[in-house]
Amino acid sequence: MSINEISRDEFDSLGIERHGFFPERAWFRSTELNLAGTVILDPFDKDWSYVLVAKDEDGTYRYIEGEVSLPSHQDAEEKLFMSATRIELAGAFQEELYTEPESAAQDETSLIITSIDDEVKKYLKKHPERLYELSPRKFEELVASILKDMGFDVELTQATRDGGRDIIAHVRNAVCSYLTHIECKRYAADNKVGVGIIREVIGVHHIRKATKSIIVTTSFFSSDAVKEAARMENQLDLKDFTDIKAWLQRY
């Protein structure tokens, strides 16, 4: 195994952009691949997470894998080592990570920034780490498009408004109309959605009398947020980065 612990200064020298706010406690780097990782402590939930990043063709390190809400520093390190070792041993994964199909590489910026279509969803299926590069509004458009493909009639609320429902979705038939409000949060991988957002969405849910509310995030949810949402188990769903990746598998 070629995953070695390094100093923070060595990690910083890689030029990896930080998007989160929680303190890093240990840093690692592969001697075989342009692969690095860090173990992070959540000072609020007192749990641990890890993040793995890899160097892309443009020289930028981007998120490829991670896990949150782990019980201890040791658990986070073990998970990081297991994931990094699996990536190293896969061999073929290196090519897939660093080499993009010619069609996707030709105009990557316009692919992500213009309209959301099936080609964009196919691209994000192969490169889910690029979800973090979408603007918040484009992330909302992506979620709306996926829901439309699932059979919902969707409406995006105005981009300037922040009223706890970025997307209004209906399933209508001859018997009933099923109203769903969706709140989208395009957060960094280690910036977990907290209990405050859950309470805001619950408040709007009751005021607007929706059948169901859903919070969708590129990140994950704090343990307090999960507990709060459980009080409305049949009316509020939480969808995180793992769920979005599962949705994209249909494309």
Side-chain angles (χ1 to χ4, degrees):
M1 184 171 63
S2 57
I3 310 298
N4 298 325
E5 187 167 4
I6 60 175
S7 69
R8 177 169 186 151
D9 287 343
E10 289 177 274
F11 190 84
D12 289 344
S13 72
L14 300 175
I16 297 169
E17 184 179 358
R18 271 30 174 240
H19 294 286
F21 307 100
F22 296 152
E24 299 161 4
R25 298 301 190 190
W27 304 267
F28 302 88
R29 187 180 184 183
S30 167
T31 58
E32 299 292 328
L33 303 177
N34 286 317
L35 187 69
T38 183
V39 168
I40 301 165
L41 171 65
D42 183 334
F44 302 105
D45 286 344
K46 306 299 181 186
D47 57 15
W48 296 80
S49 60
Y50 79 89
V51 171
L52 279 176
V53 295
K55 193 174 185 180
D56 216 335
E57 281 187 325
D58 62 2
T60 302
Y61 278 87
R62 292 188 171 87
Y63 172 89
I64 57 167
E65 196 164 309
E67 189 171 342
V68 300
S69 300
L70 297 168
S72 70
H73 186 151
Q74 182 179 349
D75 286 300
E77 281 199 14
E78 287 177 356
K79 291 271 189 176
L80 182 150
F81 271 71
M82 288 171 59
S83 296
T85 302
R86 172 175 49 77
I87 291 169
E88 284 189 341
L89 293 176
F93 184 87
Q94 183 177 2
E95 271 187 47
E96 183 181 336
L97 180 64
Y98 301 128
T99 305
E100 293 182 12
E102 197 173 314
S103 60
Q106 284 174 353
D107 195 357
E108 178 184 296
T109 303
S110 63
L111 177 66
I112 293 178
I113 292 179
T114 58
S115 61
I116 300 294
D117 57 21
D118 281 357
E119 288 305 309
V120 173
K121 289 174 238 177
K122 288 175 184 176
Y123 178 80
L124 291 171
K125 172 186 174 180
K126 295 181 69 175
H127 302 276
E129 73 281 358
R130 295 296 176 107
L131 287 164
Y132 299 107
E133 298 175 31
L134 293 174
S135 70
R137 188 58 174 177
K138 283 298 172 187
F139 177 58
E140 292 167 12
E141 292 176 10
L142 172 67
V143 174
S145 180
I146 291 172
L147 291 172
K148 185 176 180 181
D149 292 342
M150 292 178 177
F152 285 86
D153 293 330
V154 298
E155 173 195 344
L156 275 167
T157 58
Q158 294 181 15
T160 56
R161 199 169 131 336
D162 188 39
R165 47 173 193 152
D166 297 314
I167 303 167
I168 302 170
H170 287 86
V171 172
R172 294 186 175 96
N173 56 40
V175 179
C176 65
S177 177
Y178 184 92
L179 172 64
T180 303
H181 290 165
I182 299 95
E183 177 82 358
C184 299
K185 296 296 179 187
R186 204 274 292 134
Y187 283 178
D190 61 343
N191 182 20
K192 289 188 279 190
V193 176
V195 69
I197 298 297
I198 305 297
R199 290 170 180 161
E200 288 176 15
V201 171
I202 289 173
V204 172
H205 176 91
H206 288 305
I207 292 169
R208 301 294 181 180
K209 296 180 171 56
T211 309
K212 171 87 74 174
S213 288
I214 304 172
I215 304 174
V216 185
T217 181
T218 50
S219 180
F220 300 91
F221 296 89
S222 71
S223 57
D224 284 344
V226 173
K227 289 175 186 175
E228 187 72 14
R231 297 170 54 194
M232 293 183 61
E233 57 180 339
N234 295 319
Q235 297 172 287
L236 176 63
D237 282 349
L238 305 182
K239 301 296 182 182
D240 61 22
F241 181 71
T242 303
D243 296 301
I244 299 169
K245 289 199 296 182
W247 286 351
L248 291 168
Q249 291 306 303
R250 62 187 289 146
Y251 300 101

PDB file of all heavy atoms in Angstrom, residues 209-225:
ATOM      1  N   LYS A 209     -49.055  23.514   2.803  1.00  0.00           N
ATOM      2  CA  LYS A 209     -49.870  22.288   2.784  1.00  0.00           C
ATOM      3  C   LYS A 209     -49.467  21.334   1.656  1.00  0.00           C
ATOM      4  O   LYS A 209     -50.309  20.808   0.919  1.00  0.00           O
ATOM      5  CB  LYS A 209     -51.360  22.632   2.701  1.00  0.00           C
ATOM      6  CG  LYS A 209     -51.863  23.386   3.924  1.00  0.00           C
ATOM      7  CD  LYS A 209     -53.344  23.706   3.809  1.00  0.00           C
ATOM      8  CE  LYS A 209     -53.889  24.262   5.120  1.00  0.00           C
ATOM      9  NZ  LYS A 209     -53.182  25.443   5.609  1.00  0.00           N
ATOM     10  N   ALA A 210     -48.168  21.104   1.544  1.00  0.00           N
ATOM     11  CA  ALA A 210     -47.667  20.148   0.547  1.00  0.00           C
ATOM     12  C   ALA A 210     -47.935  18.724   1.021  1.00  0.00           C
ATOM     13  O   ALA A 210     -48.072  18.455   2.217  1.00  0.00           O
ATOM     14  CB  ALA A 210     -46.169  20.356   0.344  1.00  0.00           C
ATOM     15  N   THR A 211     -48.005  17.799   0.076  1.00  0.00           N
ATOM     16  CA  THR A 211     -48.111  16.386   0.419  1.00  0.00           C
ATOM     17  C   THR A 211     -46.777  15.861   0.928  1.00  0.00           C
ATOM     18  O   THR A 211     -46.702  15.079   1.874  1.00  0.00           O
ATOM     19  CB  THR A 211     -48.549  15.564  -0.808  1.00  0.00           C
ATOM     20  OG1 THR A 211     -49.708  16.163  -1.385  1.00  0.00           O
ATOM     21  CG2 THR A 211     -48.859  14.124  -0.418  1.00  0.00           C
ATOM     22  N   LYS A 212     -45.696  16.306   0.286  1.00  0.00           N
ATOM     23  CA  LYS A 212     -44.348  15.844   0.625  1.00  0.00           C
ATOM     24  C   LYS A 212     -43.368  16.987   0.393  1.00  0.00           C
ATOM     25  O   LYS A 212     -43.545  17.797  -0.512  1.00  0.00           O
ATOM     26  CB  LYS A 212     -43.969  14.653  -0.258  1.00  0.00           C
ATOM     27  CG  LYS A 212     -42.526  14.200  -0.163  1.00  0.00           C
ATOM     28  CD  LYS A 212     -42.288  13.212   0.952  1.00  0.00           C
ATOM     29  CE  LYS A 212     -42.824  11.843   0.648  1.00  0.00           C
ATOM     30  NZ  LYS A 212     -42.459  10.853   1.690  1.00  0.00           N
ATOM     31  N   SER A 213     -42.320  17.051   1.228  1.00  0.00           N
ATOM     32  CA  SER A 213     -41.201  17.945   0.996  1.00  0.00           C
ATOM     33  C   SER A 213     -39.924  17.112   0.921  1.00  0.00           C
ATOM     34  O   SER A 213     -39.808  16.088   1.603  1.00  0.00           O
ATOM     35  CB  SER A 213     -41.080  18.992   2.110  1.00  0.00           C
ATOM     36  OG  SER A 213     -42.117  19.950   2.007  1.00  0.00           O
ATOM     37  N   ILE A 214     -38.996  17.563   0.092  1.00  0.00           N
ATOM     38  CA  ILE A 214     -37.726  16.856  -0.097  1.00  0.00           C
ATOM     39  C   ILE A 214     -36.596  17.880  -0.053  1.00  0.00           C
ATOM     40  O   ILE A 214     -36.701  18.952  -0.659  1.00  0.00           O
ATOM     41  CB  ILE A 214     -37.680  16.103  -1.447  1.00  0.00           C
ATOM     42  CG1 ILE A 214     -38.863  15.137  -1.584  1.00  0.00           C
ATOM     43  CG2 ILE A 214     -36.358  15.346  -1.600  1.00  0.00           C
ATOM     44  CD1 ILE A 214     -38.987  14.503  -2.971  1.00  0.00           C
ATOM     45  N   ILE A 215     -35.545  17.568   0.673  1.00  0.00           N
ATOM     46  CA  ILE A 215     -34.329  18.380   0.646  1.00  0.00           C
ATOM     47  C   ILE A 215     -33.261  17.578  -0.089  1.00  0.00           C
ATOM     48  O   ILE A 215     -32.970  16.438   0.288  1.00  0.00           O
ATOM     49  CB  ILE A 215     -33.845  18.743   2.058  1.00  0.00           C
ATOM     50  CG1 ILE A 215     -34.960  19.461   2.832  1.00  0.00           C
ATOM     51  CG2 ILE A 215     -32.601  19.622   1.992  1.00  0.00           C
ATOM     52  CD1 ILE A 215     -34.626  19.725   4.298  1.00  0.00           C
ATOM     53  N   VAL A 216     -32.707  18.172  -1.136  1.00  0.00           N
ATOM     54  CA  VAL A 216     -31.695  17.501  -1.962  1.00  0.00           C
ATOM     55  C   VAL A 216     -30.396  18.280  -1.847  1.00  0.00           C
ATOM     56  O   VAL A 216     -30.373  19.493  -2.070  1.00  0.00           O
ATOM     57  CB  VAL A 216     -32.127  17.433  -3.441  1.00  0.00           C
ATOM     58  CG1 VAL A 216     -31.118  16.638  -4.259  1.00  0.00           C
ATOM     59  CG2 VAL A 216     -33.521  16.822  -3.571  1.00  0.00           C
ATOM     60  N   THR A 217     -29.306  17.596  -1.506  1.00  0.00           N
ATOM     61  CA  THR A 217     -28.025  18.269  -1.351  1.00  0.00           C
ATOM     62  C   THR A 217     -26.886  17.477  -1.970  1.00  0.00           C
ATOM     63  O   THR A 217     -26.922  16.237  -1.998  1.00  0.00           O
ATOM     64  CB  THR A 217     -27.707  18.542   0.141  1.00  0.00           C
ATOM     65  OG1 THR A 217     -26.455  19.235   0.243  1.00  0.00           O
ATOM     66  CG2 THR A 217     -27.629  17.246   0.940  1.00  0.00           C
ATOM     67  N   THR A 218     -25.887  18.189  -2.447  1.00  0.00           N
ATOM     68  CA  THR A 218     -24.658  17.557  -2.920  1.00  0.00           C
ATOM     69  C   THR A 218     -23.781  17.130  -1.749  1.00  0.00           C
ATOM     70  O   THR A 218     -22.759  16.475  -1.942  1.00  0.00           O
ATOM     71  CB  THR A 218     -23.859  18.528  -3.803  1.00  0.00           C
ATOM     72  OG1 THR A 218     -23.740  19.778  -3.105  1.00  0.00           O
ATOM     73  CG2 THR A 218     -24.553  18.759  -5.128  1.00  0.00           C
ATOM     74  N   SER A 219     -24.173  17.510  -0.544  1.00  0.00           N
ATOM     75  CA  SER A 219     -23.420  17.168   0.660  1.00  0.00           C
ATOM     76  C   SER A 219     -24.144  16.033   1.392  1.00  0.00           C
ATOM     77  O   SER A 219     -24.688  15.121   0.767  1.00  0.00           O
ATOM     78  CB  SER A 219     -23.278  18.411   1.542  1.00  0.00           C
ATOM     79  OG  SER A 219     -22.558  18.121   2.710  1.00  0.00           O
ATOM     80  N   PHE A 220     -24.182  16.124   2.716  1.00  0.00           N
ATOM     81  CA  PHE A 220     -24.844  15.141   3.563  1.00  0.00           C
ATOM     82  C   PHE A 220     -25.574  15.905   4.666  1.00  0.00           C
ATOM     83  O   PHE A 220     -25.576  17.139   4.682  1.00  0.00           O
ATOM     84  CB  PHE A 220     -23.819  14.152   4.130  1.00  0.00           C
ATOM     85  CG  PHE A 220     -23.083  13.386   3.066  1.00  0.00           C
ATOM     86  CD1 PHE A 220     -21.876  13.864   2.547  1.00  0.00           C
ATOM     87  CD2 PHE A 220     -23.595  12.210   2.545  1.00  0.00           C
ATOM     88  CE1 PHE A 220     -21.199  13.191   1.550  1.00  0.00           C
ATOM     89  CE2 PHE A 220     -22.926  11.518   1.539  1.00  0.00           C
ATOM     90  CZ  PHE A 220     -21.732  12.013   1.044  1.00  0.00           C
ATOM     91  N   PHE A 221     -26.198  15.188   5.582  1.00  0.00           N
ATOM     92  CA  PHE A 221     -26.988  15.807   6.647  1.00  0.00           C
ATOM     93  C   PHE A 221     -26.360  15.533   7.999  1.00  0.00           C
ATOM     94  O   PHE A 221     -25.860  14.432   8.251  1.00  0.00           O
ATOM     95  CB  PHE A 221     -28.427  15.285   6.609  1.00  0.00           C
ATOM     96  CG  PHE A 221     -29.170  15.647   5.354  1.00  0.00           C
ATOM     97  CD1 PHE A 221     -29.133  14.825   4.236  1.00  0.00           C
ATOM     98  CD2 PHE A 221     -29.885  16.837   5.280  1.00  0.00           C
ATOM     99  CE1 PHE A 221     -29.797  15.162   3.064  1.00  0.00           C
ATOM    100  CE2 PHE A 221     -30.551  17.191   4.104  1.00  0.00           C
ATOM    101  CZ  PHE A 221     -30.511  16.351   3.000  1.00  0.00           C
ATOM    102  N   SER A 222     -26.396  16.530   8.871  1.00  0.00           N
ATOM    103  CA  SER A 222     -25.889  16.334  10.224  1.00  0.00           C
ATOM    104  C   SER A 222     -26.790  15.359  10.969  1.00  0.00           C
ATOM    105  O   SER A 222     -27.952  15.146  10.588  1.00  0.00           O
ATOM    106  CB  SER A 222     -25.829  17.667  10.972  1.00  0.00           C
ATOM    107  OG  SER A 222     -27.129  18.127  11.278  1.00  0.00           O
ATOM    108  N   SER A 223     -26.281  14.777  12.035  1.00  0.00           N
ATOM    109  CA  SER A 223     -27.079  13.809  12.800  1.00  0.00           C
ATOM    110  C   SER A 223     -28.310  14.480  13.402  1.00  0.00           C
ATOM    111  O   SER A 223     -29.395  13.886  13.445  1.00  0.00           O
ATOM    112  CB  SER A 223     -26.226  13.172  13.900  1.00  0.00           C
ATOM    113  OG  SER A 223     -25.688  14.147  14.761  1.00  0.00           O
ATOM    114  N   ASP A 224     -28.190  15.732  13.849  1.00  0.00           N
ATOM    115  CA  ASP A 224     -29.348  16.448  14.387  1.00  0.00           C
ATOM    116  C   ASP A 224     -30.390  16.693  13.299  1.00  0.00           C
ATOM    117  O   ASP A 224     -31.595  16.628  13.565  1.00  0.00           O
ATOM    118  CB  ASP A 224     -28.913  17.787  14.985  1.00  0.00           C
ATOM    119  CG  ASP A 224     -28.224  17.627  16.337  1.00  0.00           C
ATOM    120  OD1 ASP A 224     -28.353  16.538  16.940  1.00  0.00           O
ATOM    121  OD2 ASP A 224     -27.566  18.571  16.787  1.00  0.00           O
ATOM    122  N   ALA A 225     -29.935  16.971  12.081  1.00  0.00           N
ATOM    123  CA  ALA A 225     -30.860  17.184  10.971  1.00  0.00           C
ATOM    124  C   ALA A 225     -31.637  15.907  10.663  1.00  0.00           C
ATOM    125  O   ALA A 225     -32.854  15.935  10.433  1.00  0.00           O
ATOM    126  CB  ALA A 225     -30.100  17.648   9.740  1.00  0.00           C
TER     127      ALA A 225
END
